[in-house]
Amino acid sequence: MDADYLPFHPNPSNPAFKVPLGAVDAHCHVFGPAQQFPYAPERKYTPCDAGKNKLFALRDRLGFARNVIVQASCHGRNNDALVDALNTAGDLARGVAVIDPAITDEELRHLDAAGVRAVRFNFVKRLVDSTPKSVFQGIAERIAKLGWHIVVYFEAPDLEELIPFLSSLPTTVVVDHMGRPDVTKGINHEDFQRFIRLMTEHENFWTKVSCPERLTVSGPPYDDVVPIARELVDLFPDRVLWGTDWPHPNMKSHTPDDGQLVDVIPRIAASPAKQQALLVENPMRLYWG
Ligand code: 0GY
């Protein structure tokens, strides 16, 4: 692993908040182990191994029933570690893959049979080399036929340029980590309002109200991120998802405690009905429906 890489928390606290029965952690990853599933040569970071058994142990410890496992950039377009985790989990996990445009129909069917239900388009420059939008368009048309959707990861300053492309996508589009707002600018800033308009004008857009640990300036317990996430849950209660983002790659400021992250949930989804939608109904509809 990289010399400055912060490994995941070895012993997260038990959250005070009890997630509802059937709750889904809708954004998490598996990394390696590298000996079995080597990291991609084109990767921008080398993480600490964080394999499927550790992920499933965390799921059980925090009280979640299911996972949506998202292919991370350190594994490039080789989804073997993801598929292996999905095969082990059976119906308890679904996957989001990153695919090569040259993928065959047979390989797509193989991913679908393993439980993949979406592809991820990553626009974050520190994580990936850029992919032409025409390539993403081609992938979008192919995966739409399988009934899959698209997960996009970008940072707030890039949203304006991306809007025409994102709006043209033919499937449900899930935006990772609330479009990575600068939380110091607050809810009323044009950048966050632009994201709200995108969600308002396009009913096929969803977002993950996740990653306070990445967006925070003040640090745990993430008071500065709560109002932003709560606004999205209040405005779009049936189009929001939540995930731990375990094992939290590329953290620099602190090692997140997953129990503490779970305790953010009742602060952003204040009623049992909103918690049920965020953690059970929405992810079940999108990934198991
Ligand atoms: C996340 C966030 C990050 C990394 C990746 O694919 C990835 O490597 O998604 C990040 O560094 O912000 O969702 O895990």
Side-chain angles (χ1 to χ4, degrees), residues 178 181-187 192 211-230 254 264 267-268:
M178 305 183 274
D182 175 347
V183 298
T184 64
K185 291 179 172 169
I187 288 175
F192 189 60
C211 267
E213 76 279 18
R214 283 182 201 288
L215 303 174
T216 189
V217 175
S218 59
Y222 311 119
D223 293 348
D224 52 348
V225 187
V226 165
I228 303 260
R230 195 173 49 216
H254 65 290
V264 175
R267 302 172 66 203
I268 64 177

Side-chain angles (χ1 to χ4, degrees), residues 12 20 53 57 78 83 108 121 131 138 153 211 233 235 239 258 260 263 266 284 288:
N53 293 334
N78 181 325
V83 167
L108 277 179
F121 295 166
T131 298
Y153 191 22
C211 267
V233 173
L235 287 173
R239 290 190 271 145
D258 299 281
Q260 210 168 17
D263 279 333
M284 289 306 289
W288 278 265

Side-chain angles (χ1 to χ4, degrees), residues 27 29 31 45 70-74 120 122 124 126-128 153 155 176-177 180 211 214 245 248-251:
H27 187 96
H29 312 285
F31 293 162
Y45 64 93
V70 178
Q71 172 79 353
S73 60
C74 56
R120 192 185 201 202
N122 192 337
V124 178
R126 75 184 151 79
L127 292 174
V128 286
Y153 191 22
E155 295 179 321
D176 277 342
H177 314 329
R180 291 205 56 131
C211 267
R214 283 182 201 288
D245 194 29
H248 312 287
N250 305 312
M251 286 297 299

Side-chain angles (χ1 to χ4, degrees), residues 1 5 10 26 40-41 74 81 94 102 120 126 136 142 147 155 169 186 202 217 232 236 241 262 264 266 276:
M1 88 184 173
Y5 189 90
C74 56
R94 293 288 187 258
R120 192 185 201 202
R126 75 184 151 79
F136 282 145
R142 288 185 68 194
E155 295 179 321
L169 292 172
H202 301 278
V217 175
L232 291 168
F236 311 107
L241 302 168
V262 169
V264 175
Q276 184 73 16

